[in-house]
């Protein structure tokens, strides 16, 4: 009973603490440059919410190009702290069809042996890992009953730890063994046979990769259905018209933007053109969008460069069709 009450109290505190910190980052020490710290914090939040899948997606580039859009505030304090906007990030991540989860990660009871010695609290390595990927970690008492009942040479004996974990009322537990030459780990759940997840630790490696793998697993489970459904954009009720440009401006209308992600991907490509200082999405209607490019130099050169943009084809003067995809 004591163990169950202890775990329940710790789980309550952990569940309250972990939901919001998925969108909060504190870097201490932090990079000297605020822009660098902001970018590092945003990348970490993207990793948490997508299970690291944003690293290889175009949304990483898009988010880092306009981090203020996804930033809620930057509280004062030691190092650098930031809170991000979950709904803005959800819209961006959904547009790329990546898994996304803000669900609180479940409490995890950790049975850990270091060089054969039982650990009953988090060390500095675990604190760094759980700071990067907020996971509510719980630790057994390792009292006399456990030292007598658990054969440490058989830490990965599923039934042995299942019984011990039930005394704490734990739904999930992690068996982790660390040695000088590395280590290994397995994730289990009450009521399910066999390990849910397993992996190895490299010699002298920290626990960051283990925390990342656990977070990725919870993201996949929490996503509940995989890629979100996205309908093609309809024909506009009233087609967008070109506007007269001022000095240093070039306005274009693009048709065929089937999804929100198409508009973002095209904007990225327009920003990369030589001679283009800035790009603004002015407005959109159905599958059309109107962009304003700031062009300090030759408009003719930029128009010629537009014809070479992958996925973009000219259909008239300053009018184009889009055939690119968000998954390319």
């Amino acid at each position: 009973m004591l163990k169950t009450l202890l775990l329940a109290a710790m789980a309550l505190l952990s569940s309250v603490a972990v939901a919001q910190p998925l969108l909060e980052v504190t870097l201490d020490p932090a990079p000297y440059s605020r822009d660098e710290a902001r970018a590092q914090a945003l990348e970490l939040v993207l990793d948490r919410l997508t299970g690291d899948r944003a690293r290889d997606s175009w949304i990483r580039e898009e988010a880092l190009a306009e981090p203020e859009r996804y930033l809620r505030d930057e509280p004062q304090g030691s190092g650098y702290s930031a809170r991000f906007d979950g709904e803005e990030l959800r819209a961006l991540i959904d547009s790329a069809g990546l898994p996304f989860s803000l669900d609180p990660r479940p409490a995890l009871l950790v049975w850990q042996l270091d060089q054969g010695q039982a650990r009953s609290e988090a060390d500095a390595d675990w604190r760094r890992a759980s700071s990067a990927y907020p996971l509510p970690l719980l630790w057994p008492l390792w009292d006399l009953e456990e030292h007598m009942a658990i054969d440490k040479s058989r830490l990965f004996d599923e039934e042995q730890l299942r019984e011990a974990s039930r005394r704490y009322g734990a739904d999930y537990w992690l068996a982790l063994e660390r040695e000088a030459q590395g280590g290994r780990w397995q994730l289990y759940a009450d009521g399910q046979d066999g390990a849910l997840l397993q992996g190895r630790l490299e010699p002298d490696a920290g626990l960051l990769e283990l925390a990342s793998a656990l977070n990725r697993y919870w993201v996949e489970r929490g996503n509940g259905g995989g890629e979100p459904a996205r309908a093609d954009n309809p024909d506009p009720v009233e087609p967008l018209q070109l506007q007269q440009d001022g000095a240093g401006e070039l306005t274009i209308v693009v048709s065929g933007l089937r999804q929100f992600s198409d508009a973002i991907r095209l904007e990225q490509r327009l920003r990369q053109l030589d001679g283009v200082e800035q790009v603004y999405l002015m407005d959109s209607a159905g599958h059309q969008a109107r962009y304003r490019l700031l062009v300090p130099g030759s408009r003719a050169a930029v128009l010629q460069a537009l014809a070479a943009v992958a996925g973009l084809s000219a259909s008239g003067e300053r009018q184009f069709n889009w055939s690119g995809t968000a998954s390319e």
Side-chain angles (χ1 to χ4, degrees), residues 4-325:
T4 302
L5 290 175
L6 174 66
L7 189 89
M10 295 175 69
L12 176 62
L13 293 174
S14 296
S15 63
V16 170
V18 77
Q20 187 62 22
L22 287 170
L23 296 170
E24 298 179 2
V25 175
T26 296
L27 304 176
D28 191 11
Y32 179 77
S33 164
R34 178 168 289 268
D35 288 342
E36 184 179 345
R38 184 178 291 163
Q40 185 175 327
L42 180 53
E43 287 188 279
L44 181 54
V45 166
L46 286 172
D47 282 350
R48 292 173 180 174
L49 300 184
T50 67
D52 297 339
R53 286 178 174 82
R55 295 182 185 183
D56 300 320
S57 171
W58 58 267
I59 68 169
R60 176 181 175 274
E61 179 185 349
E62 172 62 24
L64 294 178
E66 196 179 1
E68 298 82 1
R69 176 177 178 180
Y70 307 98
L71 186 67
R72 177 166 292 176
D73 58 19
E74 294 172 314
Q76 297 297 315
S78 178
Y80 171 81
S81 295
R83 284 193 288 254
F84 293 91
D85 190 314
E87 291 310 308
E88 286 287 347
L89 288 169
R90 181 191 297 273
L92 176 67
I93 293 168
D94 280 356
S95 71
L98 297 179
F100 173 96
S101 178
L102 268 174
D103 294 345
R105 308 322 189 219
L108 183 64
L109 183 63
V110 181
W111 298 94
Q112 179 172 334
L113 296 180
D114 290 343
Q115 306 285 346
Q117 298 298 311
R119 176 168 291 280
S120 58
E121 61 182 357
D123 58 7
D125 201 8
W126 261 123
R127 288 193 291 272
R128 284 191 294 269
S130 59
S131 175
Y133 296 94
L135 300 169
L137 302 178
L138 310 173
W139 298 86
L141 296 174
W142 277 107
D143 56 14
L144 180 60
E145 178 184 15
E146 281 151 8
H147 281 292
M148 294 291 292
I150 295 176
D151 183 349
K152 298 182 182 64
S153 66
R154 297 168 48 237
L155 186 67
F156 296 93
D157 184 320
E158 180 179 348
E159 292 307 316
Q160 174 179 246
L161 285 188
R162 185 182 302 278
E163 290 304 314
S165 298
R166 280 175 176 163
R167 292 196 291 270
Y168 287 88
D171 293 325
Y172 297 94
W173 69 90
L174 180 76
L176 170 62
E177 188 174 45
R178 303 183 74 181
E179 302 286 351
Q181 65 272 22
R184 62 177 178 137
W185 57 270
Q186 291 183 342
L187 174 68
Y188 297 93
D190 189 37
Q192 299 188 46
D193 295 330
L196 303 177
L197 203 63
Q198 58 187 336
R200 298 199 61 84
L201 298 176
E202 296 299 322
D204 301 320
L207 295 169
L208 194 62
E209 289 302 316
L210 169 54
S212 173
L214 293 173
N215 179 70
R216 186 183 182 108
Y217 179 77
W218 301 129
V219 168
E220 290 172 348
R221 287 177 60 89
N223 193 49
E227 183 174 336
R230 293 170 290 155
D232 286 352
N233 289 331
D235 291 334
V237 176
E238 294 185 9
L240 296 177
Q241 302 298 317
L242 289 166
Q243 296 179 335
Q244 184 174 353
D245 290 328
E249 295 178 349
L250 174 61
T251 304
I252 64 172
V253 172
V254 180
S255 302
L257 300 167
R258 297 179 300 280
Q259 301 164 358
F260 171 69
S261 54
D262 291 336
I264 294 177
R265 190 60 173 147
L266 175 57
E267 186 177 338
Q268 288 180 338
R269 294 184 181 180
L270 295 177
R271 286 199 300 258
Q272 295 168 357
L273 292 178
D274 290 337
V276 174
E277 183 177 89
Q278 187 55 274
V279 177
Y280 299 98
L281 175 60
M282 299 177 63
D283 49 16
S284 61
H287 60 71
Q288 288 190 319
R290 183 161 44 202
Y291 294 90
R292 173 167 291 164
L293 287 60
L294 299 189
V295 182
S298 170
R299 284 165 47 98
V302 173
L303 282 168
Q304 184 175 358
L306 283 168
V309 172
L312 200 63
S313 58
S315 59
E317 183 181 1
R318 294 189 290 148
Q319 293 183 326
F320 298 85
N321 286 320
W322 171 254
S323 61
T325 65

